[in-house]
Amino acid sequence: MTTNDFSDETLMAYADGALDPAEAARVGAAVAADPALARRLALFSGTRDVLARAAAARPEAPVPDALMARVRATIEAGRAGAETDATVVPLRRPSVPPRPFRPMAIAAGLALALGLAGGVLVGLSLGDGVPGGLRIATLGTRGLAEALSGLPSGARAAVADGEVAIIASFRNADGELCREFELDAAERATVVSVACREAAGWQTRFAVVAGAVDTGYAPASSLETLDSYLAAIGAGAPLAPLDEAAALSAAGE
Amino acid sequence: MADAFETGLIEALPVLRRYALSMCRKPDIADDLVQTTVERAIAARTRFDPSMRLEPWLFRILRNAWIDSARRSGTRGVEIDITDAPEAAVHDGARATEAALMLRQTQAALAMLPAEQREVIVLVCIEGLSYAEAAEVLEIPRGTVMSRLARGRVALAEKMGIE
């Protein structure tokens, strides 16, 4: 019997009590018979003990009153929103089975949203005249393509009847240059969008309404939807300013 | 009347705040992260499976919110120092008891580990999540959690002289 019979992961799971009884018994017998294996195990039981004591030694950290008040207000607002559901663009889709922690389930939810009449996600083709009276600024907005091609991330610029803020540049899994931006147009809903550079120009790949027309209320879940989308397309880290400038310059040629 | 979800949310606040502090080390930013987490959790509550524990689900939302804010600030220069500052935990020199010293040593050793190893150690060994729950928070396979955790603990044992 040698230490190679059990991996570090197995020894660790044994130390953490995470093995099933049969395997735990096998590891226990091997450890009892092999001092080298017992020394290896001690690394894991030792770190477990030290970290547990460190966790217990953490100073008490009561939740500040101000934070508690904000959270309670948010819960109240959520309850009021659930009753009237008037000002919030509906992002909740009760028909999607609750399967938390599964990115694919979220991606499926996104695809479903695309198919909803008057849905949350709009492509370039929708533009104005979306059912339900929402008017949404899109890539057709005059000046937007130029802003996407020319502005560094963090910059804002005036477009047709509003303002665009460039949030970040990144490359997707296919290596295309993509830009995340927000479009705030007067008397239209604010849109958080991702456009990617194709040979023919910028193409909208994702858009989510982040604020209603009259209230400017931005449901936080719109950004969660964006996160899910970015994860689904394998979005890389934001490009550093120099890399971004080089990529934009290359895309414009 | 608060329902079970809302009650659970309130009860999870201290743990959430501590987790937020472990990432950003700045109380005001941690409080904003917790608030964002609560907003997103309420908006997404129909996606929560009540048969699961609430805390890992909230941890995942919080971690994504942190990545989101770091991603947005990443293009505007570094606003947030994400390297650990172990001394931040020592708030009162007079209370430098053995436990506090040990906590400080542990945090100092943790701070030297690669972020991906430190992250799984915090979730499993400090916050008490199972391997499967940590995998859900980090959106990586359980096997990856275990290999990172094992490597991180071997490195930690070496730095702290645990044999």
Side-chain angles (χ1 to χ4, degrees), chain A residues 16 44 74 79 180 224, chain B residues 6 35 71-72 131 153:
Chain A
D16 292 351
F44 298 107
T74 305
R79 225 180 275 162
E180 177 191 338
E224 193 185 35
Chain B
E6 291 165 0
Q35 167 68 13
R71 192 170 56 82
R72 281 160 184 268
Y131 302 158
R153 279 160 75 172

Side-chain angles (χ1 to χ4, degrees), chain A residues 72-237:
Chain A
R72 289 198 183 280
T74 305
I75 288 176
E76 288 298 325
R79 225 180 275 162
E83 281 159 17
T84 63
D85 234 357
T87 56
V88 182
V89 177
L91 277 164
R92 276 180 278 159
R93 295 176 294 277
S95 61
V96 178
R99 291 176 62 198
F101 306 141
R102 301 278 175 87
M104 289 315 294
I106 296 169
L110 289 177
L112 181 64
L114 278 168
L116 293 175
V120 173
L121 298 168
V122 292
L124 183 55
S125 61
L126 289 179
D128 291 347
V130 175
L134 269 180
R135 299 209 317 136
I136 295 168
T138 65
L139 263 188
T141 305
R142 201 152 18 90
L144 181 55
E146 291 76 5
L148 287 176
S149 296
L151 289 182
S153 293
R156 304 181 74 94
V159 291
D161 57 351
E163 191 177 43
V164 61
I166 311 287
I167 306 294
S169 302
F170 58 90
R171 290 197 184 277
N172 63 17
D174 294 332
E176 292 174 312
L177 176 65
C178 302
R179 309 202 81 185
E180 177 191 338
F181 60 97
E182 287 181 13
L183 203 48
D184 301 310
E187 298 183 10
R188 299 188 190 201
T190 295
V191 173
V192 176
S193 187
V194 172
C196 298
R197 181 78 188 187
E198 295 179 355
W202 292 98
Q203 292 294 321
T204 303
R205 295 290 173 78
F206 173 93
V208 57
V209 176
V213 178
D214 44 356
T215 65
Y217 177 80
S221 49
S222 58
L223 291 179
E224 193 185 35
T225 310
L226 173 65
D227 290 343
S228 303
Y229 171 75
L230 293 175
I233 62 165

Side-chain angles (χ1 to χ4, degrees), chain B residues 6-160:
Chain B
E6 291 165 0
T7 307
L9 209 47
I10 295 283
E11 286 173 357
L13 288 179
V15 176
L16 270 183
R17 187 160 179 278
R18 225 169 37 195
Y19 182 51
L21 277 169
S22 81
M23 283 197 245
C24 66
R25 294 280 164 199
K26 296 191 177 175
D28 53 336
I29 294 172
D31 288 357
D32 286 346
L33 263 181
V34 171
Q35 167 68 13
T36 302
T37 303
V38 168
E39 288 168 8
R40 293 187 184 185
I42 288 172
R45 63 179 290 176
T46 55
R47 291 209 298 269
F48 174 66
D49 176 355
S51 72
M52 311 285 279
R53 286 209 304 144
L54 183 60
E55 282 171 14
W57 188 72
L58 294 173
F59 277 11
R60 193 179 96 157
I61 295 175
L62 191 146
R63 182 173 175 274
N64 283 339
W66 167 244
I67 291 171
D68 191 41
S69 69
R71 192 170 56 82
R72 281 160 184 268
S73 58
T75 56
R76 297 170 196 164
V78 178
E79 294 169 10
I80 299 156
D81 178 15
I82 56 168
T83 58
D84 277 12
E87 59 278 11
V90 180
H91 51 97
D92 182 354
R95 285 188 54 203
T97 60
E98 190 181 349
L101 276 173
M102 193 273 307
L103 172 63
R104 185 176 182 171
Q105 284 172 353
T106 308
Q107 287 181 321
L110 273 176
M112 287 188 277
L113 297 182
E116 64 173 32
Q117 293 176 11
R118 183 170 60 239
E119 195 168 44
V120 287
I121 289 177
V122 166
L123 286 173
V124 174
C125 298
I126 303 280
E127 298 297 346
L129 269 57
S130 69
Y131 302 158
E133 286 171 340
E136 286 160 355
V137 172
L138 302 172
E139 300 178 67
I140 56 178
R142 183 173 177 274
T144 307
V145 166
M146 291 179 69
S147 58
R148 285 183 191 174
L149 187 60
R151 269 184 279 126
R153 279 160 75 172
V154 168
L156 189 71
E158 188 180 321
K159 292 184 194 310
M160 298 188 72

